[in-house]
Amino acid sequence: MTMAATNEQPRLAGRVLEEGRVGPLTRTHFVRYAGAGGDFNPIHHDDEFARSAGYPSVFGHGMLTAGLLSDFVVQRFGLHNLRRFSVRYVGQVWPGDVLVFSGHSIAAAEGEDPRRAAYELKVERIGPDGQRNTVLTGGATVAGEDA
Amino acid sequence: MVDRSALGHEFPPYRLHVERGKIAEFARSILSEEQIYYSTEGARAAGFEDVPVPPTFSAVESHWNRNRQDVLKLDLRRVLAGGCEWEYLKPVVAGEVLTVRSRIADIHTKMSKRGPMTVVVRETRFDNEAGDTAFIARSTVLEMPPRDQGNDAA
């Protein structure tokens, strides 16, 4: 869902978060995440293995993108206010990509705690060739005055 | 190929020691500059008793869970992470010992562009020493159809 679309829908609370960016990401970022998290699937660090699986090169762990997005949320709301966080992977992150984080609030569903706010989140990649596409969609539920 | 008899499988529970060094290492790997992850003073200033764990820290359990049986028998060349969802109930800080209980919560087949793929959901609960569940992670992995049997390129 694009930002423009959210502004056209009155049911959405529509608070738009200031965009965040990281990158360009390198193989070193993938390797460091593999070590920190413990996921050593060679598809993330061994180009030969990745090619044998039909990919042009290694690609980042989905959980790395999720972790980077979680920090975007924590920077804005504080860790102590985070109640729920979810991610769905829709595309791969390649070496050389810059990631762009964005999000906007949505109206609380019926029965939800009114002191909490729900946000829809998105991560896009911009490749070295300028190509831009969504790699992750997600959500966060936050509490607190800034929510 | 996913072994469907794994549905409902409960892995043996195990302990995970929450350590400052691993928290800092993990926080650096997600490029965080939040001081709560690196200094006890920073954490206390934000209201935590000690350095807290980042939201996706559940990933580190694979370091602790060394003897998990390969009940799923996934083909790594065809496996993709589908997503994950976390529910946070209690803060978790350095020095705590969590008990980790993991089970295969769902296995089903879904149509993808390349043909039928298998969706596996693993639910993992992290309980603190007081016996309260501190957080829950539900992760989804996808086993894509074999390439040689695929139709059009995805």
Side-chain angles (χ1 to χ4, degrees):
Chain A
M1 185 179 286
T2 65
M3 289 301 140
T6 68
N7 294 335
E8 288 161 15
Q9 295 180 26
R11 73 177 185 84
L12 300 177
R15 183 181 167 195
V16 177
L17 301 177
E18 193 186 329
E19 232 176 55
R21 280 183 184 229
V22 301
L25 295 177
T26 65
R27 285 171 174 78
T28 304
H29 289 103
F30 303 165
V31 169
R32 183 159 59 173
Y33 185 79
D39 177 354
F40 286 100
N41 183 339
I43 212 147
H44 301 300
H45 62 257
D46 181 338
D47 276 310
E48 206 174 310
F49 182 90
R51 282 193 291 270
S52 79
Y55 297 99
S57 74
V58 295
F59 55 92
H61 302 75
M63 281 287 281
L64 169 58
T65 309
L68 294 166
L69 178 65
S70 79
D71 204 55
F72 169 76
V73 174
V74 166
Q75 281 168 38
R76 274 142 192 86
F77 301 108
L79 179 66
H80 57 287
N81 286 322
L82 189 61
R83 297 292 180 270
R84 185 183 282 270
F85 180 61
S86 65
V87 297
R88 196 170 67 86
Y89 310 118
V90 296
Q92 271 110 0
V93 172
W94 305 101
D97 283 355
V98 169
L99 299 184
V100 182
F101 307 102
S102 58
H104 61 267
S105 62
I106 57 173
E110 206 155 322
E112 279 180 8
D113 187 337
R115 289 163 300 177
R116 295 180 177 188
Y119 281 81
E120 279 181 1
L121 305 167
K122 183 169 69 173
V123 184
E124 294 167 283
R125 66 172 277 271
I126 303 176
D129 58 359
Q131 196 200 337
R132 182 168 178 153
N133 58 275
T134 302
V135 292
L136 182 156
T137 59
T141 303
V142 292
E145 283 176 21
D146 296 335
Chain B
M1 200 58 194
V2 172
D3 180 356
R4 279 169 189 275
S5 67
L7 177 60
H9 180 83
E10 292 187 19
F11 297 95
Y14 62 93
R15 299 272 159 94
L16 188 160
H17 293 251
V18 181
E19 301 156 318
R20 242 176 241 138
K22 179 49 82 175
I23 292 172
E25 181 191 7
F26 190 83
R28 283 200 204 291
S29 80
I30 59 166
L31 311 178
S32 182
E33 292 174 6
E34 298 289 315
Q35 282 313 300
I36 52 172
Y37 300 135
Y38 304 110
S39 93
T40 305
E41 294 71 34
R44 292 205 174 123
F48 294 99
E49 282 181 37
D50 206 325
V51 175
V53 305
T56 61
F57 190 74
S58 58
V60 310
E61 56 100 15
S62 48
H63 282 294
W64 290 89
N65 184 14
R66 300 320 299 171
N67 53 4
R68 179 187 297 158
Q69 312 118 279
D70 180 20
V71 292
L72 289 169
K73 301 181 173 61
L74 297 169
D75 176 353
L76 285 187
R77 281 183 171 74
R78 295 193 280 132
V79 168
L80 287 177
C84 195
E85 175 189 33
W86 293 264
E87 233 182 290
Y88 307 105
L89 305 167
K90 305 273 178 193
V92 174
V93 301
E96 289 192 71
V97 181
L98 303 176
T99 301
V100 186
R101 293 188 175 84
S102 192
R103 69 187 184 95
I104 303 299
D106 190 23
I107 300 178
H108 64 270
T109 305
K110 204 172 156 181
M111 215 49 193
S112 77
K113 276 185 271 184
R114 273 164 47 193
M117 65 176 178
T118 310
V119 181
V120 180
V121 181
R122 186 163 65 94
E123 181 182 276
T124 306
R125 307 178 82 88
F126 297 79
D127 295 346
N128 62 24
E129 286 157 294
D132 297 320
T133 298
F135 63 97
I136 304 167
R138 291 180 195 93
S139 65
T140 303
V141 296
L142 313 172
E143 190 184 61
M144 305 304 286
R147 292 242 168 206
D148 53 0
Q149 291 169 25
N151 307 316
D152 303 335

PDB file of all heavy atoms in Angstrom, chain A residues 64-77:
ATOM      1  N   LEU A  64      17.480 -10.300   9.133  1.00  0.00           N
ATOM      2  CA  LEU A  64      18.321  -9.096   9.194  1.00  0.00           C
ATOM      3  C   LEU A  64      17.471  -7.875   8.842  1.00  0.00           C
ATOM      4  O   LEU A  64      17.482  -6.869   9.568  1.00  0.00           O
ATOM      5  CB  LEU A  64      19.520  -9.219   8.237  1.00  0.00           C
ATOM      6  CG  LEU A  64      20.325  -7.932   7.996  1.00  0.00           C
ATOM      7  CD1 LEU A  64      20.876  -7.349   9.302  1.00  0.00           C
ATOM      8  CD2 LEU A  64      21.460  -8.181   6.997  1.00  0.00           C
ATOM      9  N   THR A  65      16.712  -7.962   7.750  1.00  0.00           N
ATOM     10  CA  THR A  65      15.829  -6.854   7.379  1.00  0.00           C
ATOM     11  C   THR A  65      14.827  -6.578   8.504  1.00  0.00           C
ATOM     12  O   THR A  65      14.551  -5.421   8.845  1.00  0.00           O
ATOM     13  CB  THR A  65      15.089  -7.177   6.067  1.00  0.00           C
ATOM     14  OG1 THR A  65      16.046  -7.585   5.086  1.00  0.00           O
ATOM     15  CG2 THR A  65      14.331  -5.974   5.545  1.00  0.00           C
ATOM     16  N   ALA A  66      14.291  -7.650   9.094  1.00  0.00           N
ATOM     17  CA  ALA A  66      13.342  -7.505  10.203  1.00  0.00           C
ATOM     18  C   ALA A  66      14.002  -6.786  11.382  1.00  0.00           C
ATOM     19  O   ALA A  66      13.401  -5.902  12.006  1.00  0.00           O
ATOM     20  CB  ALA A  66      12.828  -8.867  10.643  1.00  0.00           C
ATOM     21  N   GLY A  67      15.246  -7.151  11.675  1.00  0.00           N
ATOM     22  CA  GLY A  67      15.967  -6.523  12.782  1.00  0.00           C
ATOM     23  C   GLY A  67      16.229  -5.049  12.519  1.00  0.00           C
ATOM     24  O   GLY A  67      16.069  -4.204  13.410  1.00  0.00           O
ATOM     25  N   LEU A  68      16.615  -4.730  11.281  1.00  0.00           N
ATOM     26  CA  LEU A  68      16.859  -3.329  10.914  1.00  0.00           C
ATOM     27  C   LEU A  68      15.557  -2.535  11.034  1.00  0.00           C
ATOM     28  O   LEU A  68      15.548  -1.405  11.537  1.00  0.00           O
ATOM     29  CB  LEU A  68      17.404  -3.246   9.484  1.00  0.00           C
ATOM     30  CG  LEU A  68      18.798  -3.870   9.264  1.00  0.00           C
ATOM     31  CD1 LEU A  68      19.081  -4.045   7.770  1.00  0.00           C
ATOM     32  CD2 LEU A  68      19.880  -3.026   9.913  1.00  0.00           C
ATOM     33  N   LEU A  69      14.441  -3.127  10.601  1.00  0.00           N
ATOM     34  CA  LEU A  69      13.142  -2.444  10.702  1.00  0.00           C
ATOM     35  C   LEU A  69      12.743  -2.271  12.164  1.00  0.00           C
ATOM     36  O   LEU A  69      12.190  -1.239  12.546  1.00  0.00           O
ATOM     37  CB  LEU A  69      12.061  -3.248   9.953  1.00  0.00           C
ATOM     38  CG  LEU A  69      10.645  -2.675  10.030  1.00  0.00           C
ATOM     39  CD1 LEU A  69      10.550  -1.320   9.325  1.00  0.00           C
ATOM     40  CD2 LEU A  69       9.633  -3.651   9.430  1.00  0.00           C
ATOM     41  N   SER A  70      13.055  -3.275  12.999  1.00  0.00           N
ATOM     42  CA  SER A  70      12.699  -3.177  14.419  1.00  0.00           C
ATOM     43  C   SER A  70      13.413  -1.981  15.051  1.00  0.00           C
ATOM     44  O   SER A  70      12.858  -1.308  15.914  1.00  0.00           O
ATOM     45  CB  SER A  70      13.031  -4.468  15.174  1.00  0.00           C
ATOM     46  OG  SER A  70      14.412  -4.547  15.487  1.00  0.00           O
ATOM     47  N   ASP A  71      14.633  -1.702  14.582  1.00  0.00           N
ATOM     48  CA  ASP A  71      15.359  -0.565  15.155  1.00  0.00           C
ATOM     49  C   ASP A  71      14.740   0.764  14.692  1.00  0.00           C
ATOM     50  O   ASP A  71      14.725   1.733  15.456  1.00  0.00           O
ATOM     51  CB  ASP A  71      16.848  -0.620  14.795  1.00  0.00           C
ATOM     52  CG  ASP A  71      17.679   0.158  15.820  1.00  0.00           C
ATOM     53  OD1 ASP A  71      17.558  -0.153  17.023  1.00  0.00           O
ATOM     54  OD2 ASP A  71      18.394   1.084  15.423  1.00  0.00           O
ATOM     55  N   PHE A  72      14.230   0.790  13.477  1.00  0.00           N
ATOM     56  CA  PHE A  72      13.491   1.966  12.983  1.00  0.00           C
ATOM     57  C   PHE A  72      12.304   2.248  13.918  1.00  0.00           C
ATOM     58  O   PHE A  72      12.049   3.406  14.290  1.00  0.00           O
ATOM     59  CB  PHE A  72      13.024   1.674  11.548  1.00  0.00           C
ATOM     60  CG  PHE A  72      12.045   2.637  10.960  1.00  0.00           C
ATOM     61  CD1 PHE A  72      12.447   3.892  10.500  1.00  0.00           C
ATOM     62  CD2 PHE A  72      10.705   2.283  10.820  1.00  0.00           C
ATOM     63  CE1 PHE A  72      11.534   4.771   9.929  1.00  0.00           C
ATOM     64  CE2 PHE A  72       9.791   3.156  10.255  1.00  0.00           C
ATOM     65  CZ  PHE A  72      10.194   4.405   9.807  1.00  0.00           C
ATOM     66  N   VAL A  73      11.606   1.192  14.347  1.00  0.00           N
ATOM     67  CA  VAL A  73      10.444   1.342  15.239  1.00  0.00           C
ATOM     68  C   VAL A  73      10.900   1.765  16.644  1.00  0.00           C
ATOM     69  O   VAL A  73      10.317   2.667  17.254  1.00  0.00           O
ATOM     70  CB  VAL A  73       9.638   0.019  15.299  1.00  0.00           C
ATOM     71  CG1 VAL A  73       8.523   0.106  16.333  1.00  0.00           C
ATOM     72  CG2 VAL A  73       9.060  -0.320  13.925  1.00  0.00           C
ATOM     73  N   VAL A  74      11.964   1.116  17.141  1.00  0.00           N
ATOM     74  CA  VAL A  74      12.457   1.421  18.489  1.00  0.00           C
ATOM     75  C   VAL A  74      12.956   2.867  18.570  1.00  0.00           C
ATOM     76  O   VAL A  74      12.721   3.564  19.561  1.00  0.00           O
ATOM     77  CB  VAL A  74      13.556   0.415  18.898  1.00  0.00           C
ATOM     78  CG1 VAL A  74      14.320   0.896  20.125  1.00  0.00           C
ATOM     79  CG2 VAL A  74      12.938  -0.960  19.151  1.00  0.00           C
ATOM     80  N   GLN A  75      13.626   3.339  17.516  1.00  0.00           N
ATOM     81  CA  GLN A  75      14.105   4.729  17.499  1.00  0.00           C
ATOM     82  C   GLN A  75      12.946   5.707  17.682  1.00  0.00           C
ATOM     83  O   GLN A  75      13.092   6.740  18.308  1.00  0.00           O
ATOM     84  CB  GLN A  75      14.771   5.053  16.162  1.00  0.00           C
ATOM     85  CG  GLN A  75      16.191   4.543  16.018  1.00  0.00           C
ATOM     86  CD  GLN A  75      16.648   4.661  14.571  1.00  0.00           C
ATOM     87  OE1 GLN A  75      16.322   5.623  13.876  1.00  0.00           O
ATOM     88  NE2 GLN A  75      17.370   3.671  14.098  1.00  0.00           N
ATOM     89  N   ARG A  76      11.791   5.377  17.109  1.00  0.00           N
ATOM     90  CA  ARG A  76      10.666   6.311  17.139  1.00  0.00           C
ATOM     91  C   ARG A  76       9.789   6.202  18.377  1.00  0.00           C
ATOM     92  O   ARG A  76       9.235   7.194  18.833  1.00  0.00           O
ATOM     93  CB  ARG A  76       9.817   6.130  15.889  1.00  0.00           C
ATOM     94  CG  ARG A  76      10.379   6.966  14.743  1.00  0.00           C
ATOM     95  CD  ARG A  76      10.287   6.289  13.407  1.00  0.00           C
ATOM     96  NE  ARG A  76      11.092   7.001  12.409  1.00  0.00           N
ATOM     97  CZ  ARG A  76      12.392   6.796  12.201  1.00  0.00           C
ATOM     98  NH1 ARG A  76      13.055   5.910  12.940  1.00  0.00           N
ATOM     99  NH2 ARG A  76      13.036   7.484  11.294  1.00  0.00           N
ATOM    100  N   PHE A  77       9.646   5.003  18.922  1.00  0.00           N
ATOM    101  CA  PHE A  77       8.681   4.808  20.006  1.00  0.00           C
ATOM    102  C   PHE A  77       9.296   4.331  21.313  1.00  0.00           C
ATOM    103  O   PHE A  77       8.625   4.358  22.345  1.00  0.00           O
ATOM    104  CB  PHE A  77       7.600   3.808  19.576  1.00  0.00           C
ATOM    105  CG  PHE A  77       6.844   4.255  18.364  1.00  0.00           C
ATOM    106  CD1 PHE A  77       7.034   3.636  17.146  1.00  0.00           C
ATOM    107  CD2 PHE A  77       5.962   5.328  18.434  1.00  0.00           C
ATOM    108  CE1 PHE A  77       6.347   4.058  16.021  1.00  0.00           C
ATOM    109  CE2 PHE A  77       5.270   5.761  17.317  1.00  0.00           C
ATOM    110  CZ  PHE A  77       5.465   5.131  16.098  1.00  0.00           C
TER     111      PHE A  77
END
